Amino acid sequence: MSSDQSPARPVGRGAKVRAAVHAAALAELVDVGYAALTVESVAQRAGVHKTTVYRRWKDRESLLTDALAEHMAADIPVPDTGAIGGDLRALARSLVQAFTSPTGQAVLAAMFTGAAHLPEIAAARRHVFGDRLARAEPVVLRAVERGELPAGTDAAELLRTLAAPIYLRLLMTGDPVDESVADRAAHVALAAARAGALSAPAGP
Amino acid sequence: MSSDQSPARPVGRGAKVRAAVHAAALAELVDVGYAALTVESVAQRAGVHKTTVYRRWKDRESLLTDALAEHMAADIPVPDTGAIGGDLRALARSLVQAFTSPTGQAVLAAMFTGAAHLPEIAAARRHVFGDRLARAEPVVLRAVERGELPAGTDAAELLRTLAAPIYLRLLMTGDPVDESVADRAAHVALAAARAGALSAPAGP
């Protein structure tokens, strides 16, 4: 906080300003939405001067895409309950929680309406989705080792199957998402994997 | 055809102009995209005067949202192969085909980027998704009658499960969709339904 203003700690200051401006940008996104957000209002909220923002981001769009990408890249905790059913439910519930919070809703709206036309946002969407999936793959690999799932189960495909009905509701139908949607998604993905519907294709 | 131009049948002309302008709007969408499309270029392509377009649609946005909603509402054929596996594969393949055609790609880009901020588009997305689902429900009901699926299988939920991985790729990850994606989606939905993961919740 006040140490930010101390000239004795120049090293941490850049990262600290960056984090404060990101947080302020997300908070503004929640309050006023993508279209109405200005660099001035973000700077004021972060307690920095406008020129401090412009020194780091060339314009409103690059500030926003940066804040959105960073938010989307934040870790989803990878559960290890000892059983694949519990792990998949925990993962699906984390995803639901991430997108039903006020910040999650504002981020989703910005990424799929306000900023949807920006190539950086499309790239962030794809990249981050891939990253999140890869981090959760141990959940599936451990289940295969424990004999809960068939050998050869495609971990990435199982995790896409888990996430798909949640994103369908968020992006397409607008139906509410809650824990029962998460638990159903886990049940579906598990049943499909056990039946061998999510095995990797045979090698060449 | 030519009898439509007869002054003795004024009734059909409005519908014909409407269809021609819709078709021209979609073709322009494919060629130049949402942002660059003008009422002038659509009118010229449809072979009608600009004022004819403005008589029916108040502006560019209402013309485009109307054309998009009409396109999305077009029937997807409801298959009846005699077995649930074949029916689900046919449905999923229709969906993949609808969105991998040049028009389908342009419509998707317009609905999720260019026009994503318009409330009419969000409503069209939700409404049309619901309509398409409802039309395909007989596929599931017939399978329950034939004893291929458990009694109490939730038809709408099964169809959402079928569509979800296809939309996830189209909207989120940008991974290619093809017949193998469609067939996998059918396999997953069927395995989940057979395992009872897609049963309707017990009544109150």
Side-chain angles (χ1 to χ4, degrees), chain A residues 126 157 169 173 184 199, chain B residues 126 157 169 173 184 199:
Chain A
R126 279 193 290 271
E157 190 63 29
R169 283 171 172 78
T173 67
R184 165 99 77 169
S199 299
Chain B
R126 279 192 290 271
E157 190 63 29
R169 282 171 173 78
T173 68
R184 166 98 75 170
S199 299

Side-chain angles (χ1 to χ4, degrees), chain B residues 23 26-27 29-30 68 71 97-110:
Chain B
L26 292 176
L29 210 53
V30 173
L68 290 171
H71 177 80
Q97 270 179 359
F99 284 117
T100 49
S101 72
T103 305
Q105 287 279 306
V107 166
L108 204 67

Side-chain angles (χ1 to χ4, degrees), chain A residues 48-182:
Chain A
V48 302
H49 197 271
K50 197 173 70 165
T51 53
T52 304
V53 177
Y54 280 118
R55 212 175 301 137
R56 286 172 173 81
W57 295 276
K58 70 178 199 300
D59 56 20
R60 195 186 92 99
E61 261 55 45
S62 64
L63 164 59
L64 276 170
T65 51
D66 197 35
L68 290 170
E70 173 120 343
H71 177 80
M72 290 290 290
D75 275 338
I76 283 200
V78 176
D80 189 5
T81 65
I84 184 65
D87 284 356
L88 293 180
R89 278 193 297 280
L91 273 175
R93 288 178 177 203
S94 293
L95 195 60
V96 164
Q97 270 179 359
F99 284 117
T100 48
S101 71
T103 305
Q105 289 278 306
V107 166
L108 204 67
M111 290 186 68
F112 282 91
T113 58
H117 61 287
L118 299 173
E120 298 91 332
I121 287 296
R125 226 150 57 193
R126 279 193 290 271
H127 181 71
V128 161
F129 193 84
D131 277 2
R132 283 194 168 171
L133 276 181
R135 276 199 295 265
E137 285 183 13
V139 159
V140 180
L141 304 179
R142 282 192 298 256
V144 171
E145 275 168 28
R146 285 191 301 255
E148 291 183 292
L149 293 178
T153 298
D154 183 332
E157 190 63 29
L158 193 157
L159 294 168
R160 274 193 290 267
T161 301
L162 182 71
I166 297 167
Y167 282 107
L168 182 77
R169 283 171 172 78
L170 290 169
L171 303 178
M172 193 81 196
T173 67
D175 293 331
V177 296
D178 56 19
E179 289 205 339
S180 73
V181 169

Side-chain angles (χ1 to χ4, degrees), chain A residues 157 160-161 197-198, chain B residues 88-89 92-93 95-96 100 161-170 173 175-189:
Chain A
E157 190 63 29
R160 274 193 290 267
T161 301
L198 294 169
Chain B
L88 293 179
R89 277 193 297 278
R93 288 178 179 203
L95 195 60
V96 164
T100 49
T161 301
L162 182 71
I166 297 168
Y167 282 107
L168 182 78
R169 282 171 173 78
L170 290 169
T173 68
D175 293 332
V177 296
D178 56 20
E179 289 205 340
S180 73
V181 170
D183 292 353
R184 166 98 75 170
H187 191 179
V188 164

